[in-house]
Amino acid sequence: MSQQPTKDKRFVSSRRSFLQGGLTAAGGAAAAAALGTGAAFAAGTPDPAITDIKDWNQYSGAGVDAAPYGMPSPFESHVVRRDVPWLTADPVSSINFTPLHELDGIITPNGLCFERHHSGVAEVDPAEHRLMINGLVDKPLVFTMQDLMRFPRENKVYFLECAANSGMEWRGAQLNGCQFTHGMIHNVMYTGVRLRTLLEEAGVKPSAKWLLAEGADASGMGRSIPIEKALDDCLVAFKMNGEALRPEQGYPVRLCVPGWEGNMWVKWLRRLEVGDKPWHLREETSKYTDLMPDGRARRFTWAMDVKSVITNPSPQAPITHGRGHTVITGVAWSGHGAIKRVDVSIDGGRNWQTARIDGPSLSRSMHRFYYEFDWNGSPLYLQSRAIDEQGYVQPTKNALRAARGENSIYHNNGIQTWYIKANGEAENVEVS
Amino acid sequence: MSKFLKLTASVILFGAIATTGANAQDADAGKKVFRKCAACHAVGKGAKNKVGPELNELIGRVAGSLEDYKYSKAMTAVGEEGLVWNNDTLTEYLTKPRGFIKGTKMAFGGLKKDAEIENVIAYLATYSASAEQAAAEPEEMAEPAETADATSGQAPAGLAADAVIPDHGNYHLGRVALPEEITAWDIDVRPDGAGLPVGKGTVADGGVIYDESCAVCHGVFGEGEGRWPVLSGGFDTLTADRPEKTIGSYWPFASTIFDYVNRAMPFGNARSLSADETYAVTAYLLYLNDIVTDESFELSNETFSDIKLPNEENFYPDDRLEEPNFAKGTEPCMQNCGDRPAEIVMRARVLDVTPDNDEEGGAGGID
């Protein structure tokens, strides 16, 4: 559908001109073969993928129990989380990144959800796990996992984005790959109990203003959450995408704080304390505060702003098929609600086309967008720009820098540019 | 003959047998114990030196003998004296590192249980070829899940009708937390001092603890070894091109130091300091940051409220929504935006995104 011709020269090459191109000089055929565009057709020889009998055509494969817990095809073994070792001192307190360029749709598979731990992955025995509620409540309570599963449950799809996602890019283009520039995010369907339901079971006192959420890992991860948010949409989740949480995502139980920075989504959740003031723990003072150019710092910057990125093509996923019909795809999300619209530019933001959003459009969940066009083979400056249901528009990186300088680390939701070269390679750049 | 040589000799007779037994039984349990070491040591394929040396081929290694690791003088010396790592010498060292090798820089208090020591040695032995050869018939590592039970639920506890229903709440689920249980878990401390335990410690006491348990990573003056966090200095850098955010230059509240050290430090051995020790080391961190200047200063639950950090006033609530880029509902430009065609002004600096060198890379870190 969205092959609308535009004024831009690069959009002009039509399907007809592509076919003509494919049929011209012998040199053209060789080039097409090298690019993998209809290779067999162009070469005029039968395709062995069709004419040969492959092993899998002939011999039976593995039986049903070969892998009691199934794994991806070995041909997909490159689809993994990756880290950037120089970012942190030790893998026990470090981060890796979701391979966004290998995914489609809106759900992140459990094994590919990026990890961030502050003292490694706690290996918690669910039989010995407890969740305590104490502080300004009528009755301090302790729940076992079995208790938690007896409360009414709900299923919700939410993105979780680390506040430092794209944080390496404040001073300019740094890392080549959307996995590294934007991969501190995942989008998962959670099953759990409303935090509100649990708090009401203990009875919240009228003086309550804040909630401390604390993890059972060796970093004792803790964050202060305003009580309005705690009583609104937070979820105490024990399932992700239908199965038990993965250990690295907080097994057996984690907090979901929809739309707010990932650090607050305390994993291995073991305690909720109701109080009347914030705690100002390390992760809300030393970290996750945003230093401004005047030397002062914003605190309690919780919400994740409207943002998008083109995942394909991108530096780890160049265009290998040559010119012709091309699918551009990416993801968009906002902590302020659903995504209303995504625009794509192929000329560095001079002209924009509205992309097609496909799949579920849910509040504070990732959205998938596509933009299809005929690429004529000349270089592109690809950008995407999301607008959320509140009307917030994803800003340029320069607009963010003008407001915040370059040292605030967190909440960089600026527009990303990929430079697509004539050979289909992609590079992380910034344009004027 | 030195005590080290004696131990080394005894293992020639008994060590191999002992190793064999342990290897077969306890390597799995040892893997768990190794988590206490993993903050500082790596073992297995591709293991590199961290705070401590990598531990591949440990059994049979002369102490302090890795060429690419910088040991303490004490460790090098005992190696030269002939100390070789085996079941017996490791048992001694891991029971009380500094008792066995005076002056070792391994900032680790030791393992308390004999079983833990046996198991961790058995685990390390699986990464030592010499130990494996010694084992008559190395058994395969136990499969983690034998044949998993097809059901996951616990057996019913009795007649459903006999279950006791508590009277709290809407669903009558969970039980009332006991005061001892709340005390055990409720360790958080607020800026107003709420949550501080009774206790005290001086700057001088804290210095001893810090040198022993913190300096390996954070540096003797809090300057940070390698890429471990810097804990001091950075004054007047918050408006600089490369700000250094430390306790002294950035943190708003002293309570955060106490709370964080108490819950999370030393890294890899959290919750191991007493309340007095935590007061002392907090006092010492204040001293390293010139917040207190007297070595005899004693920090306690009573003196705590006197401490103010210089940067407290410079934090303010999120006001992002007042930035121009948050103006709602402005229809963004769609056609012929900007006066000139776009040009590249900056390119990715890190072309190889998986650098395996140790260079300090990147402009902005993640935290």
Side-chain angles (χ1 to χ4, degrees):
Chain A
M1 48 166 282
S2 50
Q3 273 195 52
Q4 302 139 338
T6 73
K7 284 185 208 132
D8 190 298
K9 281 248 169 61
R10 276 172 290 212
F11 281 92
V12 173
S13 73
S14 66
R15 182 163 167 76
R16 209 174 111 249
S17 68
F18 164 68
L19 282 177
Q20 278 170 347
L23 290 170
T24 44
L35 286 166
T37 306
F41 165 74
T45 50
D47 184 353
I50 296 171
T51 54
D52 288 359
I53 297 177
K54 301 284 175 195
D55 285 355
W56 60 85
N57 304 142
Q58 193 164 15
Y59 310 114
S60 320
V64 282
D65 270 343
Y69 192 102
M71 294 298 283
S73 158
F75 295 100
E76 297 295 316
S77 58
H78 58 289
V79 182
V80 288
R81 300 180 283 220
R82 290 179 197 277
D83 69 349
V84 177
W86 50 254
L87 278 177
T88 49
D90 190 279
V92 170
S93 171
S94 190
I95 183 112
N96 61 20
F97 303 88
T98 304
L100 292 176
H101 61 295
E102 296 284 355
L103 304 177
D104 214 324
I106 65 163
I107 295 292
T108 315
N110 290 342
L112 296 177
C113 292
F114 84 96
E115 302 172 76
R116 178 30 167 156
H117 321 302
H118 290 260
S119 209
V121 179
E123 224 173 86
V124 178
D125 176 351
E128 290 187 52
H129 188 74
R130 304 287 179 270
L131 176 60
M132 180 187 287
I133 301 182
N134 71 309
L136 299 175
V137 290
D138 299 333
K139 276 213 172 136
L141 295 180
V142 174
F143 302 112
T144 61
M145 287 308 297
Q146 199 190 21
D147 293 334
L148 290 180
M149 297 195 196
R150 293 173 66 193
F151 286 97
R153 286 173 227 171
E154 60 180 41
N155 293 285
K156 294 278 182 185
V157 181
Y158 293 125
F159 76 82
L160 177 162
E161 184 185 17
C162 175
N165 200 18
S166 315
M168 287 88 75
E169 305 285 308
W170 276 105
R171 283 168 185 269
Q174 290 250 343
L175 293 163
N176 260 325
C178 68
Q179 178 165 21
F180 304 105
T181 55
H182 290 74
M184 291 189 220
I185 186 165
H186 54 66
N187 202 57
V188 158
M189 181 162 80
Y190 296 94
T191 308
V193 177
R194 273 279 169 119
L195 176 56
R196 179 185 193 112
T197 310
L198 298 180
L199 292 173
E200 284 174 349
E201 191 74 357
V204 176
K205 295 223 160 105
S207 53
K209 296 221 160 53
W210 290 84
L211 181 78
L212 175 70
E214 192 179 80
D217 65 323
S219 79
M221 178 53 65
R223 288 293 302 254
S224 308
I225 300 169
I227 199 77
E228 299 78 28
K229 179 73 174 175
L231 293 175
D232 179 15
D233 54 2
C234 294
L235 203 62
V236 173
F238 31 78
K239 295 268 153 82
M240 61 191 294
N241 295 328
E243 64 177 358
L245 292 178
R246 291 289 168 91
E248 66 270 30
Q249 303 301 339
Y251 179 85
V253 62
R254 87 173 306 165
L255 189 64
C256 301
V257 190
W260 287 16
E261 61 193 19
N263 182 259
M264 306 178 82
W265 296 46
V266 174
K267 300 190 280 192
W268 312 289
L269 182 70
R270 80 164 190 187
R271 196 168 68 93
L272 298 161
E273 179 174 344
V274 181
D276 57 358
K277 288 182 195 162
W279 280 263
H280 295 284
L281 299 190
R282 185 240 188 184
E283 308 292 329
E284 48 206 17
T285 51
S286 168
K287 309 297 171 195
Y288 302 101
T289 48
D290 309 359
L291 182 62
M292 294 293 118
D294 65 358
R296 301 195 310 142
R298 289 174 177 157
R299 67 170 149 228
F300 301 145
T301 50
W302 299 306
M304 299 309 298
D305 294 317
V306 61
K307 188 165 171 180
S308 70
V309 67
I310 290 172
T311 56
N312 305 79
S314 63
Q316 296 159 290
I319 302 179
T320 54
H321 55 56
R323 67 203 171 89
H325 189 69
T326 299
V327 176
I328 289 176
T329 186
V331 282
W333 62 93
S334 169
H336 302 285
I339 293 295
K340 193 172 68 184
R341 193 175 101 200
V342 181
D343 299 328
V344 169
S345 170
I346 62 169
D347 61 4
R350 297 312 185 259
N351 295 283
W352 296 86
Q353 302 290 320
T354 295
R356 173 169 61 89
I357 292 178
D358 192 78
S361 169
L362 303 166
S363 178
R364 288 155 305 172
S365 158
M366 263 189 187
H367 292 57
R368 171 63 57 177
F369 66 85
Y370 298 96
Y371 179 71
E372 291 105 355
F373 76 115
D374 257 337
W375 182 36
N376 68 4
S378 53
L380 308 171
Y381 298 126
L382 285 186
Q383 296 185 336
S384 65
R385 172 179 72 194
I387 304 174
D388 69 19
E389 64 178 332
Q390 300 283 332
Y392 295 126
V393 182
Q394 183 178 5
T396 63
K397 290 185 184 173
N398 280 336
L400 286 175
R401 290 186 188 114
R404 305 181 194 170
E406 296 181 346
N407 283 319
S408 64
I409 301 179
Y410 307 103
H411 298 286
N412 183 345
N413 65 325
I415 290 173
Q416 174 65 43
T417 311
W418 304 128
Y419 168 43
I420 309 297
K421 303 175 194 172
N423 64 1
E425 271 175 33
E427 189 188 333
N428 178 5
V429 299
E430 290 197 27
V431 292
S432 56
Chain B
M1 189 151 123
S2 79
K3 67 174 173 175
F4 300 124
L5 279 182
K6 263 189 235 147
L7 281 168
T8 309
S10 74
V11 82
I12 294 170
L13 297 174
F14 311 112
I17 304 155
T19 313
T20 310
N23 197 4
Q25 290 161 4
D26 305 310
D28 258 6
K31 187 175 178 184
K32 284 217 171 121
V33 180
F34 190 72
R35 289 206 214 116
K36 298 191 175 160
C37 329
C40 303
H41 291 289
V43 71
K45 200 163 159 254
K48 295 209 182 83
N49 296 329
K50 302 194 346 184
V51 174
E54 53 93 354
L55 298 179
N56 284 333
E57 301 304 336
L58 179 67
I59 311 296
R61 177 195 296 179
V62 174
S65 64
L66 288 188
E67 277 181 8
D68 55 351
Y69 178 81
K70 203 159 160 285
Y71 293 92
S72 62
K73 284 207 192 81
M75 184 63 82
T76 317
V78 295
E80 283 165 4
E81 260 188 71
L83 179 69
V84 173
W85 294 122
N86 59 43
N87 222 3
D88 297 13
T89 53
L90 281 170
T91 305
E92 296 261 347
Y93 185 52
L94 297 178
T95 311
K96 222 165 185 277
R98 288 197 164 125
F100 186 54
I101 299 173
K102 206 160 173 292
T104 177
K105 65 174 185 173
M106 173 154 123
F108 181 70
L111 291 170
K112 308 237 154 33
K113 297 189 199 125
D114 290 349
E116 282 187 326
I117 296 177
E118 283 166 26
N119 294 345
V120 83
I121 296 173
Y123 172 68
L124 290 170
T126 62
Y127 295 101
S128 289
S130 60
E132 292 217 335
Q133 281 156 15
E137 220 171 90
E139 276 175 47
E140 280 187 18
M141 299 270 278
E143 287 293 316
E146 286 105 55
T147 318
D149 196 337
T151 62
S152 63
Q154 302 120 305
L159 285 180
D162 293 344
V164 180
I165 311 278
D167 59 6
H168 65 257
N170 301 319
Y171 298 93
H172 317 292
L173 293 172
R175 63 167 175 82
V176 172
L178 303 176
E180 304 89 304
E181 293 172 330
I182 296 174
T183 311
W185 276 8
D186 187 353
I187 58 166
D188 50 78
V189 178
R190 283 196 324 205
D192 61 6
L196 279 172
V198 175
K200 59 181 188 321
T202 63
V203 168
D205 298 340
V208 176
I209 300 163
Y210 183 90
D211 287 346
E212 171 111 338
S213 308
C214 322
V216 258
C217 296
H218 294 296
V220 175
F221 304 103
E223 75 282 13
E225 291 286 341
R227 269 171 284 152
W228 301 99
V230 176
L231 300 184
S232 65
F235 298 101
D236 303 321
T237 64
L238 295 184
T239 54
D241 189 37
R242 306 272 168 169
E244 193 153 53
K245 296 186 282 182
T246 71
I247 291 172
S249 71
Y250 190 65
W251 291 31
F253 302 111
S255 60
T256 313
I257 312 172
F258 187 98
D259 177 277
Y260 183 68
V261 171
N262 186 38
R263 70 173 62 236
M265 289 292 136
F267 192 61
N269 192 20
R271 305 298 305 275
S272 58
L273 299 179
S274 68
D276 286 352
E277 287 172 324
T278 310
Y279 277 109
V281 88
T282 303
Y284 190 67
L285 288 173
L286 294 170
Y287 176 79
L288 285 180
N289 280 287
D290 302 337
I291 313 289
V292 300
T293 47
D294 181 359
E295 275 196 42
S296 62
F297 173 79
E298 185 178 77
L299 188 67
S300 71
N301 49 309
E302 268 144 34
T303 57
F304 210 96
S305 59
D306 300 342
I307 305 293
K308 290 270 174 288
L309 298 189
N311 200 41
E312 176 177 344
E313 298 311 317
N314 290 322
F315 286 82
Y316 60 99
D318 187 3
D319 63 351
R320 272 177 291 174
L321 294 185
E322 281 154 40
E323 291 176 2
N325 32 300
F326 281 86
K328 272 193 191 183
T330 36
E331 186 50 39
C333 173
M334 293 298 283
Q335 296 291 320
N336 304 317
C337 319
D339 36 11
R340 270 169 291 129
E343 270 172 32
I344 295 181
V345 292
M346 227 180 291
R347 310 180 77 127
R349 290 217 317 242
V350 183
L351 287 171
D352 180 1
V353 287
T354 44
D356 47 9
N357 56 17
D358 248 10
E359 254 172 66
E360 196 86 7
I366 60 128
D367 285 273

